[in-house]
Amino acid sequence: MNAEKDKLVIAVPRGSLFEGSLKLLADLGIATDIVREQDRRLYFPEIGVLTVRPTDVPTYIEAGAADLGITGKDVLAEHSEHHVCELADLGFGPCKMVVALKADHDYLAQALEDFGVVRIATKYPRLAAAHFHRSGRQAEIIEVKGSVELAPLAGLADAIVDLVATGTTLRENGLVEREHLFDSSARLIANPVSYRLKAKAIDGMLQQVHKWLEKKVNES
Amino acid sequence: MSSAQLHTARSGLRDVLPSEFREVHAISETLRGVFANHSYQELRTPALEEPDIVERGPAGGLAYRVVDEHGHALALRADMTVPIARLVTARYGEVEEPLRFSYIAPVYKAIHPQKAQAREVLQAGIELIGVEAPRGIVEVLTVLDEAFSALGCHKHRIGFNDAGFVANMLGTLDIDRKRKARVAAALATTDFVSLKDDLYGIEGGRMVVDLLCTRVSANQLDSLKTSLPENLLTAFQHNSLGDIVEALPQTVQERIMIDFSLTRNLGYYSGPVFEIYAPNIGTALGGGGHYDDLLGYFGHSMPAVGFALDVDLLHKIVKSGDTK
């Protein structure tokens, strides 16, 4: 948290939400050009911005290392142990959390029939476990760090739980979506202490964000 | 050379070495002095309690458990409010004169791994039993204010709400049980996006959500009231928030920030609740409120109010010098 009263520090996610986040901040009047120009630099105190991996955003926010942050709903849902305030749905980075498997056969039903348990590869072990638990199917969750689509092809798992934006990667690997968990998009979050101590600055920014969102809706 | 293995404390636990001990001790002594000045008598309870007693507190089912020599389970206390509620009902029965207790003691919390959280937290606090709101909470907040002044800390703010008002507000809406549960979960996790998704479409819902997202200082409360529609104004007048704020001394009033979403999810707070914040510290320094129903659970329903402060966080602030 910044010592200066009501000056906000914002954690911006690198990765797929990076462009959308910088565009939003630029539209709100924050000079984000230097973030684009100095690609390897992580900390920009002169404009109150730090850049981190999307999954690390809640960690920085919860600890108060930044007041506000942008990250995906998928990250917040998987890491719900982080105590943060979820302030706004920013709309960009739309995607959905799905169960996907090879298109040629219902491997989930087959595995349940043959072994009474399904093997699920995912980067979201808690969400995947909760989803299968809710539907009364026993699942062994296999955590992988990336290229989840490979798991059913190589025989590591019967299906995957993953975030899908356009579905191109699924298609190119011969996978199809079979179950839909929830829709995700970028969220604006806040540290709970900043949310109260810097209420004025945060509310001011939120107002700008809502105007920005309305303008987006009108444009489309 | 010996190749003996070196041992440090487990993650979340730490040794307090003499220099830190001296500083923390000085802070503890200052707090003791303030509590004693207001007739709060210090006491001590066992670190180990019956598991079902500890489960009434903030740990819920996540308390640390140990097994005694006969194989019986005991649990480490997760706060001091629950043990004090237990002992008050067991030893003082029907309280005629108000009871005032203080404590400085370690409590034990479950942690999430790799988040630099403390398993053992030194808490300092007071409990006032037998005085109703607003008088009780006004006294407690006054002692809190003096404690901070005595430590030379002048930058803190107090987030304040009446948990009863949240229930009253939601009571003005026509929502089914399922939605109510979702709304409660959203409030508990301060997920205002889900709250909007669930309530904006409902008649009067937008007004309630906007109010839940509102944080105002004490002197803005009157103008806020005039902007409320009739049903929410009635709901507001059915709780003690306004009366308490009005009854607070000016110095405390100036520190108050009313946040209508604040509920403190500890399970036992029933009415007015508060949390203490300081700049550059990402978590609340402590908090408190009324917990009348907790004493009822132990056998004698009585008005009760108190607060607990994290002494290590106070130490951090004092040491940082960011206090004026």
Side-chain angles (χ1 to χ4, degrees):
Chain A
M1 245 180 297
N2 200 296
E4 213 173 306
K5 199 168 183 268
D6 282 4
K7 197 181 163 202
L8 298 172
V9 174
I10 305 167
V12 174
R14 290 190 172 266
S16 63
L17 298 177
F18 195 46
E19 265 311 306
S21 303
L22 289 183
K23 195 168 174 323
L24 164 68
L25 295 183
D27 288 348
L28 299 189
I30 297 170
T32 54
D33 290 350
I34 54 163
V35 183
R36 280 182 228 269
E37 286 158 15
Q38 303 177 22
D39 190 40
R40 279 163 200 270
R41 216 179 127 195
L42 304 173
Y43 185 44
F44 303 88
E46 62 270 45
I47 54 165
V49 165
L50 46 93
T51 61
V52 292
R53 279 178 67 117
T55 44
D56 289 337
V57 171
T59 309
Y60 277 79
I61 298 303
E62 184 183 26
D67 302 302
L68 291 172
I70 298 169
T71 192
K73 178 65 184 173
D74 57 311
V75 172
L76 295 173
E78 176 67 17
H79 300 281
S80 57
E81 80 277 10
H82 290 289
H83 184 33
V84 299
C85 300
E86 198 174 321
L87 300 183
D89 183 347
L90 298 174
F92 59 85
C95 40
K96 50 191 177 172
M97 191 67 73
V98 303
V99 176
L101 50 154
K102 284 198 283 180
D104 60 336
H105 184 65
D106 189 345
Y107 291 94
L108 275 182
Q110 188 72 53
L112 281 173
E113 196 182 315
D114 293 348
F115 308 110
V117 54
V118 292
R119 296 167 305 152
I120 306 297
T122 186
K123 286 184 281 184
Y124 302 89
R126 293 185 198 169
L127 290 173
H131 174 71
F132 281 91
H133 181 74
R134 263 198 308 275
S135 51
R137 293 170 291 180
Q138 193 183 341
E140 286 299 334
I141 308 297
I142 303 165
E143 189 176 356
V144 293
K145 303 288 185 196
S147 307
V148 190
E149 297 81 4
L150 174 64
L153 307 179
L156 176 68
D158 303 308
I160 63 171
V161 167
D162 203 20
L163 203 57
V164 175
T166 58
T168 312
T169 316
L170 282 188
R171 267 195 307 280
E172 285 182 359
N173 286 289
L175 303 182
V176 289
E177 171 194 334
R178 280 289 162 81
E179 295 165 31
H180 174 257
L181 276 65
F182 62 89
D183 291 323
S184 179
S185 54
R187 299 292 150 96
L188 182 68
I189 61 173
N191 170 272
V193 174
S194 301
Y195 175 71
R196 279 131 194 168
L197 286 186
K198 299 186 179 181
K200 216 169 156 186
I202 288 179
D203 283 352
M205 180 145 184
L206 260 179
Q207 249 174 19
Q208 277 185 292
V209 167
H210 286 304
K211 269 192 201 137
W212 182 83
L213 285 169
E214 271 165 38
K215 217 176 117 197
K216 287 259 138 164
V217 172
N218 293 337
E219 277 170 9
S220 61
Chain B
M1 281 291 283
S2 117
S3 59
Q5 198 187 334
L6 301 176
H7 295 278
T8 54
R10 168 100 57 105
S11 159
L13 298 166
R14 51 194 198 95
D15 304 318
V16 178
L17 300 176
S19 65
E20 181 185 352
F21 188 91
R22 271 195 302 278
E23 291 165 5
V24 171
H25 184 69
I27 289 170
S28 302
E29 287 303 297
T30 303
L31 294 173
R32 278 199 175 93
V34 174
F35 297 163
N37 272 343
H38 288 269
S39 308
Y40 285 80
Q41 303 186 78
E42 189 166 351
L43 53 66
R44 197 172 70 191
T45 67
L48 295 169
E49 292 270 355
E50 295 291 343
D52 60 333
I53 294 205
V54 175
E55 275 171 21
R56 302 299 305 177
L62 291 175
Y64 291 99
R65 279 159 192 266
V66 294
V67 179
D68 75 6
E69 69 280 22
H70 305 295
H72 299 142
L74 287 158
L76 275 168
R77 64 173 173 231
D79 73 347
M80 283 297 289
T81 302
V82 169
I84 289 175
R86 169 188 62 70
L87 87 83
V88 163
T89 44
R91 294 175 178 274
Y92 293 85
E94 298 292 336
V95 176
E96 280 166 23
E97 289 292 308
L99 294 171
R100 290 179 174 81
F101 295 122
S102 74
Y103 59 85
I104 299 182
V107 301
Y108 301 88
K109 316 243 175 213
I111 62 163
H112 294 286
Q114 290 159 18
K115 283 173 71 176
Q117 293 171 333
R119 295 175 191 269
E120 188 180 54
V121 178
L122 185 62
Q123 278 193 344
I126 61 171
E127 310 292 351
L128 171 59
I129 292 115
V131 182
E132 285 182 31
R135 209 154 55 81
I137 194 158
V138 168
E139 176 177 322
V140 160
L141 283 170
T142 307
V143 176
L144 179 77
D145 193 54
E146 262 182 51
F148 272 84
S149 293
L151 291 172
C153 296
H154 302 282
K155 278 189 155 177
H156 67 287
R157 300 283 313 255
I158 299 164
F160 187 70
N161 192 23
D162 189 327
F165 182 40
V166 178
N168 290 344
M169 259 192 273
L170 295 174
T172 64
L173 302 176
D174 182 24
I175 48 177
D176 58 28
R177 244 193 32 232
K178 231 169 138 184
R179 198 181 293 254
K180 223 173 234 167
R182 280 207 305 268
V183 166
L187 271 173
T189 54
T190 51
D191 177 357
F192 297 113
V193 174
S194 299
L195 206 60
K196 281 175 195 167
D197 284 349
D198 255 317
L199 296 182
Y200 259 30
I202 284 177
E203 199 189 335
R206 199 183 180 103
M207 207 66 203
V208 168
V209 174
D210 289 349
L211 197 54
L212 285 168
C213 292
T214 303
R215 287 92 76 225
V216 292
S217 52
N219 59 19
Q220 293 168 301
L221 197 55
D222 278 334
S223 69
L224 180 106
K225 270 196 301 199
T226 58
S227 73
L228 292 179
E230 184 123 356
N231 60 343
L232 284 180
L233 187 64
T234 314
F236 181 83
Q237 280 156 346
H238 267 116
N239 78 86
S240 53
L241 203 146
D243 297 337
I244 293 168
V245 171
E246 213 163 284
L248 286 169
Q250 185 68 27
T251 49
V252 184
Q253 246 183 43
E254 284 165 7
R255 305 228 169 257
I256 294 282
M257 137 112 18
I258 296 144
D259 177 341
F260 293 107
S261 72
L262 186 73
T263 51
R264 277 179 78 68
N265 309 302
L266 294 188
Y268 51 66
Y269 288 114
S270 40
V273 287
F274 57 89
E275 280 185 343
I276 304 116
Y277 313 112
N280 300 312
I281 303 282
T283 53
L285 307 177
H290 260 278
Y291 54 93
D292 304 3
D293 299 342
L294 181 64
L295 282 104
Y297 166 79
F298 286 120
H300 295 284
S301 207
M302 274 178 277
V305 56
F307 67 73
L309 295 168
D310 182 326
V311 180
D312 291 326
L313 285 181
L314 291 177
H315 175 233
K316 208 170 165 182
I317 294 172
V318 170
K319 213 170 162 61
S320 77
D322 188 19
T323 51
K324 297 278 185 294

